[in-house]
Amino acid sequence: MILFRYFARQLLQVTAAVTLILLVVSFTSRFLQYLADAVAGQMTTDILLMLMLFRLPEFLMIIVPFAWFLAILLAYGRMYAENELVVLHACGFSRKSLLALTLGIATILTIVMAIVSLYVAPTGLQETERLRQSQEELTEIDLIVAGQFQAFARGSRVTYAEAITETEQGRQLNNAFVVLRDGSTSQEGEGGLRVMVADTARPVMDEESGRRYMLLENGHFYDGQPGQGNYAVTEFDVQGVLLPDATSIAPVLREKAMPTTQLIGSSDLAHTAELQWRISVICLLPVLTLLGVPLSKVDPRQGRFARLVPAALLYGLYFMLLQVSRDALEDGDIPAVIGLWWVHAVFFIAGLYLVAKERASFRRAANHSAKLAGGH
């Protein structure tokens, strides 16, 4: 029990540290993508933090298995380099016992990841979908960022506001600039343009029709063809611009966000691929343990980092084959019976081979030492 606690502390501390580092990198990259969408007017900035939190379980599904694999290599590599495991083996703690103890620790982590993969991550993605779809109910005035030109309605309308203030009537654009392109022509630049400049703009809703408008006040609009000088200039006190209807939240979610119970028994290949992917995340941990323990053995003169690069390439190959098999299963190129399971089988057999090879090497070394001792 003392050894179990010691090894668990060594492995889980390294796993937590590696996970934290990789999470920071992944979060930064994803946050910058969401921030770019917010700057482009595709979403509001107040949901960015919630989106990141709901995506956290999905990140953990990918990061934790790799962090666990590296933890085995780093922790045991250090213990081999500092002769800790050499002394333990000499005292009767066999390599088989080391593997069994590591698999026991991996089992605890596997249970946690099973909960994350089968329940927590899909729930988080459902909330992410709802947040993203709720953005479609906002008007473009809600998405405008002060000081930036932003395109809406597939480029047929461009809006700019020098400043934005909150009033009793809602959000108000100050010194607004709106360009409406004539949709009757298909080639950009050939249609007519209406350029509208107003002191203020705010959203309003017509109670009878339920339609939404951008109400511009105290401004001018200019009608004409680009490149020609025959623009018509009109002054107005109030001018309305029709906004698109609100889009309701779609009830059908993507496969990644579907509850696991709905995927079980489904004949849809996309559902089958997603279910096998979630189970594969759980299978990764014991298979990587089987690979990592023999790979972690290094000569004290090599150092603890000797096997990191080959091991990282091995994990990359493992993960890539899982993704390729998932896509092939979705497309119907491989049967569901084979699915992603063949990848786990190949690496499981590779792990058994490495374990058997290490045990055979240890026996040869022990027999050689015995012969030398007998000769003396």
PDB file of all heavy atoms in Angstrom, residues 10 14 32 92 99 130 135 153 156 167 195 206 212 226 272 283 297 307 312 337 344-346 351 354 372:
ATOM      1  N   GLN A  10       3.595  10.067  -7.529  1.00  0.00           N
ATOM      2  CA  GLN A  10       4.563  10.431  -8.569  1.00  0.00           C
ATOM      3  C   GLN A  10       3.889  10.573  -9.937  1.00  0.00           C
ATOM      4  O   GLN A  10       4.108  11.547 -10.668  1.00  0.00           O
ATOM      5  CB  GLN A  10       5.665   9.367  -8.639  1.00  0.00           C
ATOM      6  CG  GLN A  10       6.541   9.266  -7.404  1.00  0.00           C
ATOM      7  CD  GLN A  10       7.384  10.510  -7.194  1.00  0.00           C
ATOM      8  OE1 GLN A  10       7.907  11.084  -8.142  1.00  0.00           O
ATOM      9  NE2 GLN A  10       7.511  10.936  -5.947  1.00  0.00           N
ATOM     10  N   VAL A  14       2.739  14.357 -12.020  1.00  0.00           N
ATOM     11  CA  VAL A  14       3.259  14.665 -13.349  1.00  0.00           C
ATOM     12  C   VAL A  14       2.114  14.776 -14.351  1.00  0.00           C
ATOM     13  O   VAL A  14       2.106  15.659 -15.222  1.00  0.00           O
ATOM     14  CB  VAL A  14       4.275  13.596 -13.795  1.00  0.00           C
ATOM     15  CG1 VAL A  14       4.786  13.901 -15.210  1.00  0.00           C
ATOM     16  CG2 VAL A  14       5.444  13.539 -12.826  1.00  0.00           C
ATOM     17  N   LEU A  32      -8.407  32.532 -28.656  1.00  0.00           N
ATOM     18  CA  LEU A  32      -8.087  33.490 -29.707  1.00  0.00           C
ATOM     19  C   LEU A  32      -9.026  33.330 -30.908  1.00  0.00           C
ATOM     20  O   LEU A  32      -9.415  34.321 -31.535  1.00  0.00           O
ATOM     21  CB  LEU A  32      -6.627  33.325 -30.144  1.00  0.00           C
ATOM     22  CG  LEU A  32      -5.571  33.761 -29.121  1.00  0.00           C
ATOM     23  CD1 LEU A  32      -4.176  33.466 -29.642  1.00  0.00           C
ATOM     24  CD2 LEU A  32      -5.717  35.243 -28.793  1.00  0.00           C
ATOM     25  N   GLY A  92      13.100  -7.470  -4.829  1.00  0.00           N
ATOM     26  CA  GLY A  92      12.008  -8.398  -5.082  1.00  0.00           C
ATOM     27  C   GLY A  92      10.769  -7.778  -5.695  1.00  0.00           C
ATOM     28  O   GLY A  92       9.777  -8.488  -5.946  1.00  0.00           O
ATOM     29  N   LEU A  99       4.066  -3.238 -13.374  1.00  0.00           N
ATOM     30  CA  LEU A  99       3.014  -3.097 -14.381  1.00  0.00           C
ATOM     31  C   LEU A  99       1.639  -3.209 -13.743  1.00  0.00           C
ATOM     32  O   LEU A  99       0.733  -2.421 -14.048  1.00  0.00           O
ATOM     33  CB  LEU A  99       3.192  -4.157 -15.465  1.00  0.00           C
ATOM     34  CG  LEU A  99       2.121  -4.177 -16.567  1.00  0.00           C
ATOM     35  CD1 LEU A  99       2.089  -2.853 -17.317  1.00  0.00           C
ATOM     36  CD2 LEU A  99       2.376  -5.328 -17.536  1.00  0.00           C
ATOM     37  N   ARG A 130     -26.061  25.376 -27.475  1.00  0.00           N
ATOM     38  CA  ARG A 130     -27.156  26.285 -27.124  1.00  0.00           C
ATOM     39  C   ARG A 130     -26.660  27.730 -27.058  1.00  0.00           C
ATOM     40  O   ARG A 130     -27.359  28.658 -27.487  1.00  0.00           O
ATOM     41  CB  ARG A 130     -27.786  25.874 -25.796  1.00  0.00           C
ATOM     42  CG  ARG A 130     -28.535  24.540 -25.864  1.00  0.00           C
ATOM     43  CD  ARG A 130     -29.336  24.305 -24.597  1.00  0.00           C
ATOM     44  NE  ARG A 130     -30.054  23.041 -24.672  1.00  0.00           N
ATOM     45  CZ  ARG A 130     -29.645  21.913 -24.117  1.00  0.00           C
ATOM     46  NH1 ARG A 130     -28.521  21.898 -23.427  1.00  0.00           N
ATOM     47  NH2 ARG A 130     -30.346  20.803 -24.233  1.00  0.00           N
ATOM     48  N   GLN A 135     -26.861  33.005 -30.114  1.00  0.00           N
ATOM     49  CA  GLN A 135     -26.318  34.205 -30.739  1.00  0.00           C
ATOM     50  C   GLN A 135     -27.066  34.566 -32.019  1.00  0.00           C
ATOM     51  O   GLN A 135     -27.067  35.720 -32.449  1.00  0.00           O
ATOM     52  CB  GLN A 135     -24.832  34.007 -31.044  1.00  0.00           C
ATOM     53  CG  GLN A 135     -23.966  33.801 -29.813  1.00  0.00           C
ATOM     54  CD  GLN A 135     -23.968  35.011 -28.897  1.00  0.00           C
ATOM     55  OE1 GLN A 135     -23.455  36.058 -29.243  1.00  0.00           O
ATOM     56  NE2 GLN A 135     -24.567  34.867 -27.733  1.00  0.00           N
ATOM     57  N   ALA A 153     -25.433  39.700 -43.379  1.00  0.00           N
ATOM     58  CA  ALA A 153     -26.285  39.218 -44.483  1.00  0.00           C
ATOM     59  C   ALA A 153     -25.436  38.856 -45.698  1.00  0.00           C
ATOM     60  O   ALA A 153     -25.715  39.281 -46.819  1.00  0.00           O
ATOM     61  CB  ALA A 153     -27.335  40.259 -44.843  1.00  0.00           C
ATOM     62  N   SER A 156     -24.059  41.712 -47.881  1.00  0.00           N
ATOM     63  CA  SER A 156     -24.959  42.676 -48.516  1.00  0.00           C
ATOM     64  C   SER A 156     -25.168  43.928 -47.676  1.00  0.00           C
ATOM     65  O   SER A 156     -25.715  44.918 -48.152  1.00  0.00           O
ATOM     66  CB  SER A 156     -26.310  42.027 -48.804  1.00  0.00           C
ATOM     67  OG  SER A 156     -26.957  41.665 -47.592  1.00  0.00           O
ATOM     68  N   THR A 167     -28.824  52.712 -23.522  1.00  0.00           N
ATOM     69  CA  THR A 167     -29.895  53.632 -23.148  1.00  0.00           C
ATOM     70  C   THR A 167     -31.084  52.847 -22.615  1.00  0.00           C
ATOM     71  O   THR A 167     -31.064  51.612 -22.575  1.00  0.00           O
ATOM     72  CB  THR A 167     -30.335  54.474 -24.363  1.00  0.00           C
ATOM     73  OG1 THR A 167     -30.929  53.605 -25.342  1.00  0.00           O
ATOM     74  CG2 THR A 167     -29.138  55.182 -24.978  1.00  0.00           C
ATOM     75  N   VAL A 195     -25.776  54.289 -49.244  1.00  0.00           N
ATOM     76  CA  VAL A 195     -24.926  54.595 -48.098  1.00  0.00           C
ATOM     77  C   VAL A 195     -25.718  55.493 -47.160  1.00  0.00           C
ATOM     78  O   VAL A 195     -26.213  56.554 -47.561  1.00  0.00           O
ATOM     79  CB  VAL A 195     -23.627  55.298 -48.541  1.00  0.00           C
ATOM     80  CG1 VAL A 195     -22.765  55.619 -47.326  1.00  0.00           C
ATOM     81  CG2 VAL A 195     -22.871  54.435 -49.536  1.00  0.00           C
ATOM     82  N   ASP A 206     -41.588  46.139 -34.697  1.00  0.00           N
ATOM     83  CA  ASP A 206     -42.956  46.492 -35.062  1.00  0.00           C
ATOM     84  C   ASP A 206     -43.911  45.536 -34.356  1.00  0.00           C
ATOM     85  O   ASP A 206     -43.870  44.317 -34.578  1.00  0.00           O
ATOM     86  CB  ASP A 206     -43.132  46.415 -36.578  1.00  0.00           C
ATOM     87  CG  ASP A 206     -44.527  46.830 -37.007  1.00  0.00           C
ATOM     88  OD1 ASP A 206     -44.999  47.873 -36.538  1.00  0.00           O
ATOM     89  OD2 ASP A 206     -45.141  46.087 -37.799  1.00  0.00           O
ATOM     90  N   ARG A 212     -38.200  43.094 -37.012  1.00  0.00           N
ATOM     91  CA  ARG A 212     -37.196  43.908 -36.330  1.00  0.00           C
ATOM     92  C   ARG A 212     -36.548  44.870 -37.325  1.00  0.00           C
ATOM     93  O   ARG A 212     -36.280  44.500 -38.477  1.00  0.00           O
ATOM     94  CB  ARG A 212     -36.123  43.018 -35.689  1.00  0.00           C
ATOM     95  CG  ARG A 212     -36.682  41.989 -34.717  1.00  0.00           C
ATOM     96  CD  ARG A 212     -35.591  41.122 -34.130  1.00  0.00           C
ATOM     97  NE  ARG A 212     -34.853  40.417 -35.179  1.00  0.00           N
ATOM     98  CZ  ARG A 212     -33.762  39.689 -34.949  1.00  0.00           C
ATOM     99  NH1 ARG A 212     -33.281  39.595 -33.734  1.00  0.00           N
ATOM    100  NH2 ARG A 212     -33.145  39.073 -35.940  1.00  0.00           N
ATOM    101  N   PRO A 226     -21.453  52.648 -57.912  1.00  0.00           N
ATOM    102  CA  PRO A 226     -20.043  52.926 -57.643  1.00  0.00           C
ATOM    103  C   PRO A 226     -19.309  53.328 -58.921  1.00  0.00           C
ATOM    104  O   PRO A 226     -19.522  52.738 -59.983  1.00  0.00           O
ATOM    105  CB  PRO A 226     -19.529  51.582 -57.110  1.00  0.00           C
ATOM    106  CG  PRO A 226     -20.729  50.874 -56.594  1.00  0.00           C
ATOM    107  CD  PRO A 226     -21.851  51.306 -57.495  1.00  0.00           C
ATOM    108  N   THR A 272     -22.590   5.600 -34.545  1.00  0.00           N
ATOM    109  CA  THR A 272     -21.727   4.478 -34.162  1.00  0.00           C
ATOM    110  C   THR A 272     -20.277   4.931 -34.024  1.00  0.00           C
ATOM    111  O   THR A 272     -19.575   4.545 -33.077  1.00  0.00           O
ATOM    112  CB  THR A 272     -21.824   3.355 -35.206  1.00  0.00           C
ATOM    113  OG1 THR A 272     -23.191   2.940 -35.339  1.00  0.00           O
ATOM    114  CG2 THR A 272     -20.981   2.166 -34.794  1.00  0.00           C
ATOM    115  N   CYS A 283     -10.392   3.403 -23.514  1.00  0.00           N
ATOM    116  CA  CYS A 283      -9.445   2.315 -23.783  1.00  0.00           C
ATOM    117  C   CYS A 283      -8.002   2.810 -23.893  1.00  0.00           C
ATOM    118  O   CYS A 283      -7.056   2.029 -23.705  1.00  0.00           O
ATOM    119  CB  CYS A 283      -9.827   1.592 -25.076  1.00  0.00           C
ATOM    120  SG  CYS A 283     -11.437   0.770 -25.040  1.00  0.00           S
ATOM    121  N   LYS A 297      11.761   2.245 -19.242  1.00  0.00           N
ATOM    122  CA  LYS A 297      13.044   1.732 -18.746  1.00  0.00           C
ATOM    123  C   LYS A 297      14.190   2.318 -19.570  1.00  0.00           C
ATOM    124  O   LYS A 297      14.256   2.137 -20.779  1.00  0.00           O
ATOM    125  CB  LYS A 297      13.089   0.209 -18.825  1.00  0.00           C
ATOM    126  CG  LYS A 297      14.343  -0.384 -18.198  1.00  0.00           C
ATOM    127  CD  LYS A 297      14.337  -1.900 -18.298  1.00  0.00           C
ATOM    128  CE  LYS A 297      15.564  -2.481 -17.599  1.00  0.00           C
ATOM    129  NZ  LYS A 297      16.823  -1.959 -18.168  1.00  0.00           N
ATOM    130  N   ARG A 307      13.495   8.375 -24.019  1.00  0.00           N
ATOM    131  CA  ARG A 307      12.420   7.732 -24.789  1.00  0.00           C
ATOM    132  C   ARG A 307      11.261   8.672 -25.119  1.00  0.00           C
ATOM    133  O   ARG A 307      10.258   8.220 -25.674  1.00  0.00           O
ATOM    134  CB  ARG A 307      11.883   6.539 -23.996  1.00  0.00           C
ATOM    135  CG  ARG A 307      12.924   5.472 -23.653  1.00  0.00           C
ATOM    136  CD  ARG A 307      13.312   4.680 -24.876  1.00  0.00           C
ATOM    137  NE  ARG A 307      14.287   3.660 -24.573  1.00  0.00           N
ATOM    138  CZ  ARG A 307      13.978   2.429 -24.163  1.00  0.00           C
ATOM    139  NH1 ARG A 307      12.713   2.091 -24.008  1.00  0.00           N
ATOM    140  NH2 ARG A 307      14.926   1.551 -23.911  1.00  0.00           N
ATOM    141  N   ALA A 312       6.379   9.901 -28.022  1.00  0.00           N
ATOM    142  CA  ALA A 312       5.447  10.908 -28.527  1.00  0.00           C
ATOM    143  C   ALA A 312       5.023  10.583 -29.961  1.00  0.00           C
ATOM    144  O   ALA A 312       3.853  10.740 -30.335  1.00  0.00           O
ATOM    145  CB  ALA A 312       6.071  12.296 -28.461  1.00  0.00           C
ATOM    146  N   VAL A 337     -18.070  -3.501 -37.032  1.00  0.00           N
ATOM    147  CA  VAL A 337     -17.450  -4.539 -36.197  1.00  0.00           C
ATOM    148  C   VAL A 337     -15.945  -4.294 -36.059  1.00  0.00           C
ATOM    149  O   VAL A 337     -15.343  -4.518 -35.009  1.00  0.00           O
ATOM    150  CB  VAL A 337     -17.714  -5.931 -36.806  1.00  0.00           C
ATOM    151  CG1 VAL A 337     -17.001  -7.003 -36.003  1.00  0.00           C
ATOM    152  CG2 VAL A 337     -19.207  -6.212 -36.867  1.00  0.00           C
ATOM    153  N   HIS A 344      -6.890  -0.298 -31.400  1.00  0.00           N
ATOM    154  CA  HIS A 344      -6.575  -0.674 -30.018  1.00  0.00           C
ATOM    155  C   HIS A 344      -5.949  -2.066 -29.962  1.00  0.00           C
ATOM    156  O   HIS A 344      -5.020  -2.303 -29.170  1.00  0.00           O
ATOM    157  CB  HIS A 344      -7.851  -0.649 -29.168  1.00  0.00           C
ATOM    158  CG  HIS A 344      -8.460   0.719 -29.020  1.00  0.00           C
ATOM    159  ND1 HIS A 344      -7.812   1.762 -28.397  1.00  0.00           N
ATOM    160  CD2 HIS A 344      -9.650   1.207 -29.444  1.00  0.00           C
ATOM    161  CE1 HIS A 344      -8.592   2.842 -28.421  1.00  0.00           C
ATOM    162  NE2 HIS A 344      -9.703   2.523 -29.058  1.00  0.00           N
ATOM    163  N   ALA A 345      -6.447  -2.986 -30.790  1.00  0.00           N
ATOM    164  CA  ALA A 345      -5.905  -4.343 -30.797  1.00  0.00           C
ATOM    165  C   ALA A 345      -4.442  -4.353 -31.218  1.00  0.00           C
ATOM    166  O   ALA A 345      -3.606  -5.047 -30.615  1.00  0.00           O
ATOM    167  CB  ALA A 345      -6.734  -5.228 -31.727  1.00  0.00           C
ATOM    168  N   VAL A 346      -4.102  -3.573 -32.251  1.00  0.00           N
ATOM    169  CA  VAL A 346      -2.716  -3.524 -32.728  1.00  0.00           C
ATOM    170  C   VAL A 346      -1.786  -3.003 -31.642  1.00  0.00           C
ATOM    171  O   VAL A 346      -0.720  -3.590 -31.361  1.00  0.00           O
ATOM    172  CB  VAL A 346      -2.614  -2.639 -33.992  1.00  0.00           C
ATOM    173  CG1 VAL A 346      -1.157  -2.334 -34.329  1.00  0.00           C
ATOM    174  CG2 VAL A 346      -3.290  -3.331 -35.173  1.00  0.00           C
ATOM    175  N   GLY A 351       1.984  -3.620 -27.026  1.00  0.00           N
ATOM    176  CA  GLY A 351       2.319  -3.495 -25.612  1.00  0.00           C
ATOM    177  C   GLY A 351       2.687  -4.825 -24.984  1.00  0.00           C
ATOM    178  O   GLY A 351       3.653  -4.920 -24.212  1.00  0.00           O
ATOM    179  N   LEU A 354       6.180  -5.702 -26.049  1.00  0.00           N
ATOM    180  CA  LEU A 354       7.209  -4.963 -25.322  1.00  0.00           C
ATOM    181  C   LEU A 354       7.394  -5.509 -23.910  1.00  0.00           C
ATOM    182  O   LEU A 354       8.525  -5.609 -23.412  1.00  0.00           O
ATOM    183  CB  LEU A 354       6.850  -3.479 -25.266  1.00  0.00           C
ATOM    184  CG  LEU A 354       6.917  -2.704 -26.591  1.00  0.00           C
ATOM    185  CD1 LEU A 354       6.413  -1.275 -26.400  1.00  0.00           C
ATOM    186  CD2 LEU A 354       8.343  -2.698 -27.126  1.00  0.00           C
ATOM    187  N   LEU A 372      27.939 -15.909 -13.869  1.00  0.00           N
ATOM    188  CA  LEU A 372      29.153 -15.244 -13.429  1.00  0.00           C
ATOM    189  C   LEU A 372      29.420 -15.496 -11.943  1.00  0.00           C
ATOM    190  O   LEU A 372      30.561 -15.743 -11.533  1.00  0.00           O
ATOM    191  CB  LEU A 372      29.052 -13.722 -13.679  1.00  0.00           C
ATOM    192  CG  LEU A 372      29.073 -13.275 -15.148  1.00  0.00           C
ATOM    193  CD1 LEU A 372      28.907 -11.775 -15.233  1.00  0.00           C
ATOM    194  CD2 LEU A 372      30.397 -13.702 -15.815  1.00  0.00           C
TER     195      LEU A 372
END
